[in-house]
Structures are given as structure tokens and as C-alpha cells.
């Protein structure tokens, strides 16, 4: 049985301007907020062109089939970053894949907190990133702390492979290593800076998240257990074992979790020494130290 007819195929080639308008209309109908921008990004990706090049020559006629396929994927609410294969984080261009969470702007709050809490840029020599995913937090930290070597740990071999590739692409391969493991279980040394964005979504709420997250991002990186706090409980003994005297461990929080996580920290023997909100004012980063 033949598949669906592509939206633009019968009129290909078609002008860039017409493609952008029709692509935006399809995305808007699918509930995409920034439809015009995303239409430009998808067409640029399909043609290997910049947005400026597209806007400079709107009457250029091009084949539409590749763009049609990309618009169809985005209309099905596949994340734009997965379609493009890239995401910017802390001004770093990172490859992304379905094996990991897509880096989010609010996670940059952890890097801001690390910079605010460091005595000096060269005082941080060892950085540990637990649940490294794309390597975003670790690689951002290494760009800010030039004397540091970093270790990224993830249970997913595919995630570690992706993070290793990102480190190499950014020229940081010689300062970073990646280990497939369950949190910090096999790690024997202590670190000046420990970063972690653990799973913190309540299990029963995952299905109700926006489709881009619920359908396309790995559940293991989202599922924080029944109350969203399971990973924090597991992390505390590990953090006590790997955090150096005078060092700081920085955890990402879900909205409304500050009080509960603070109580879990207090029971572990560590101390909360700072809190930092994200750009929306939501408490997002909890900074811990040895008490």
C-alpha cells in the first residue's frame, strides 16, 4: 500500500519563500510555538544553508522532498534538536541523540553556581559529572576551569560514546574521560566539583509531559521514582564518598523539590551552602559541601 503523499512533492521544485510559509503553517497547525523560526531552521538543515542565505534569496527554487520529511517529523512532535542533530549549551555546539536528554537552558544554572562558588578558576582540578548524557555539564565546566580534568559517568554506553565525541569535537578530548557505570560506584578518587542533573520527574507524570519529552527522550533519564526523589536518595552516599574537602557538589532540582532535597541532604551529613534560581526564578541548583 503506498505511503502518504508528501505535502510539497507535486509542486517540486518550489520557491524558498513558499516552502518557508507552508512549512510554518504545518508546524503551527501541529501546535509548534515558534513555527516560522523552526521552518527556517529545518529548511536550512535540508539545504545546508544558513537562515541569512534563505532570507536573501526567497525566490530560489529548490526540491522540497527532504524538507517535507523534516517538517513531517517535527509535526509529529519529534524534538527539533534531534532532527537537526545539534543543540547549543553554554555556547557549545553539541551533538545530540535519542540516547540522552537534550541539554536545556535551565541546566546552565549549575555552571553559573559552580563559577560563583569557586575560589578561583584554577582552583578546580578535578570535575565529576554524574549522569553525563551528552557531556554538556562536564564540557561546559572544563571550558570555564582551564586547569581541570573531568570524568563523565553514565549508565548508557551510547551516552558515553556521544559525550566522548562531543569532547573530541570541542578540542577537550585530552581533558575528559567517560565511564559506563551506575553513578559513582566505581569511582575511587575525590573531586573539587561534582555536577549532577538526576532524573527527577514523578513516574506517574511522565506520560503527561509535552510530547517532545514523553515520546522521544529516554525514560531512564526522566524517571525519578514515585515521588521524583529516588535518585537524590541514592546519590547522597556517593557524593559523600567522592567530594573533596573544600569542594562543591551541585545538583539540579525539579520545580518544587528544594525542600525535600534539602532534607535528604541534611540526613546525609553534607550541608547546603548555596541555592541558585534559573532565569524564571525557579530554584534550580543546590550547592553542597562537607559539613
Amino acid at each position: 500500500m503506498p505511503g502518504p503523499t508528501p505535502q510539497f512533492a507535486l509542486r517540486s521544485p518550489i520557491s524558498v519563500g513558499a516552502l518557508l510559509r507552508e512549512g510554518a503553517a504545518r508546524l503551527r497547525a501541529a501546535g509548534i510555538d515558534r513555527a516560522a523560526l523552526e521552518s527556517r531552521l529545518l529548511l536550512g538543515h535540508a539545504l545546508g544553508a544558513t537562515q541569512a542565505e534563505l532570507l536573501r534569496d526567497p525566490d530560489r527554487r529548490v526540491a522540497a522532498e527532504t524538507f517535507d520529511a523534516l517538517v513531517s517529523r517535527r509535526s509529529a512532535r519529534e524534538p527539533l534538536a534531534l532532527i537537526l542533530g545539534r543543540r547549543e549549551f553554554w555556547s557549545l555546539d553539541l551533538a545530540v541523540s535519542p540516547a540522552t536528554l537534550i541539554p536545556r537552558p535551565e541546566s546552565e544554572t549549575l555552571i553559573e553556581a559552580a563559577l560563583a562558588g569557586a575560589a578561583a578558576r584554577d582552583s578546580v582540578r578535578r570535575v565529576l559529572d554524574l549522569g553525563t548524557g551528552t557531556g554538556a555539564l562536564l564540557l561546559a565546566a572544563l571550558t570555564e576551569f582551564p586547569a581541570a580534568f573531568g570524568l563523565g559517568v553514565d549508565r548508557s554506553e551510547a551516552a558515553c560514546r556521544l559525550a566522548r565525541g562531543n569532547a573530541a569535537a570541542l578540542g577537550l578530548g585530552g581533558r575528559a574521560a567517560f565511564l559506563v557505570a551506575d553513578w559513582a560506584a566505581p569511582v575511587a578518587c575525590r573531586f573539587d566539583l561534582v555536577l549532577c542533573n538526576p532524573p527527577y520527574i514523578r513516574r506517574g507524570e511522565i506520560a503527561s509531559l509535552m510530547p517532545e519529552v514523553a515520546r522521544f527522550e529516554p525514560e531512564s533519564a526522566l524517571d525519578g521514582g514515585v515521588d521524583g526523589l529516588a535518585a537524590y536518595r541514592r546519590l547522597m552516599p556517593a557524593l559523600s564518598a567522592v567530594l573533596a574537602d573544600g569542594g562543591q557538589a551541585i545538583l539540579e532540582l525539579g520545580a518544587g523539590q528544594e525542600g525535600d532535597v534539602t532534607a535528604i541532604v541534611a540526613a546525609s551529613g553534607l550541608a547546603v551552602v548555596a541555592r541558585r534560581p534559573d532565569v524564571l526564578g525557579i530554584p534550580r541548583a543546590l550547592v553542597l559541601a562537607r559539613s
Side-chain angles (χ1 to χ4, degrees):
M1 182 174 179
T5 302
Q7 296 285 326
F8 307 120
L10 298 179
R11 292 178 289 118
S12 183
I14 187 172
S15 74
V16 164
L19 280 176
L20 289 175
R21 289 190 296 273
E22 294 192 32
R26 287 174 61 191
L27 295 175
R28 198 173 294 113
I32 306 300
D33 290 334
R34 302 180 304 164
L37 172 61
E38 294 203 12
S39 182
R40 292 197 302 272
L41 292 171
L42 291 171
L43 185 56
H45 184 66
L47 299 179
T50 66
Q51 292 188 59
E53 289 169 339
L54 296 177
L55 296 174
R56 187 163 55 240
D57 190 9
D59 295 325
R60 172 187 171 194
R61 300 185 73 81
V62 297
E65 286 79 1
T66 299
F67 177 61
D68 173 75
L70 298 182
V71 172
S72 294
R73 289 171 63 186
R74 186 67 184 107
S75 296
R77 303 302 290 268
E78 183 175 350
L80 180 67
L82 290 184
I83 297 172
L84 302 180
R86 319 294 305 176
R87 182 62 173 259
E88 182 181 303
F89 182 86
W90 202 255
S91 298
L92 304 176
D93 180 38
L94 300 174
V96 299
S97 85
T100 72
L101 286 182
I102 298 166
R104 290 158 167 76
E106 56 265 32
S107 296
E108 294 184 349
T109 309
L110 277 69
I111 304 302
E112 295 170 356
L115 290 169
R121 297 290 180 101
D122 61 359
S123 66
V124 176
R125 298 301 180 98
R126 290 179 175 176
V127 180
L128 175 64
D129 180 18
L130 296 174
T132 194
T134 62
L137 288 172
L138 180 66
L139 300 175
L142 293 181
T143 65
E144 296 294 342
F145 300 108
F149 182 89
L151 175 64
V153 178
D154 203 290
R155 288 182 296 179
S156 165
E157 183 176 349
C160 285
R161 188 163 53 247
L162 179 68
R164 191 176 296 113
N166 279 327
L170 293 169
L172 296 169
R175 295 174 54 206
F178 297 92
L179 177 65
V180 179
D182 189 12
W183 297 121
V187 178
C189 60
R190 294 184 181 269
F191 293 81
D192 305 305
L193 174 62
V194 181
L195 301 165
C196 184
N197 177 14
Y200 53 67
I201 307 298
R202 290 183 178 90
R203 184 171 298 153
E205 296 177 355
I206 293 175
S208 64
L209 297 174
M210 60 191 301
E212 286 85 344
V213 179
R215 296 180 195 166
F216 293 96
E217 297 202 75
E219 186 172 335
S220 61
L222 300 169
D223 187 352
V226 174
D227 62 358
L229 302 171
Y232 297 104
R233 296 189 185 96
R234 287 198 62 203
L235 275 167
M236 287 310 124
L239 292 180
S240 297
V242 299
L243 185 60
D245 291 336
Q248 55 181 346
I250 307 177
L251 302 177
E252 181 164 331
L253 302 172
Q257 291 181 324
E258 180 183 5
D260 289 331
V261 177
T262 297
I264 293 170
V265 172
S268 75
L270 295 174
V272 175
V273 296
R275 299 167 172 83
R276 193 174 186 95
D278 61 23
V279 293
L280 297 178
I282 297 170
R284 187 62 65 183
L286 206 61
V287 184
L288 317 181
R290 291 186 171 281
S291 56

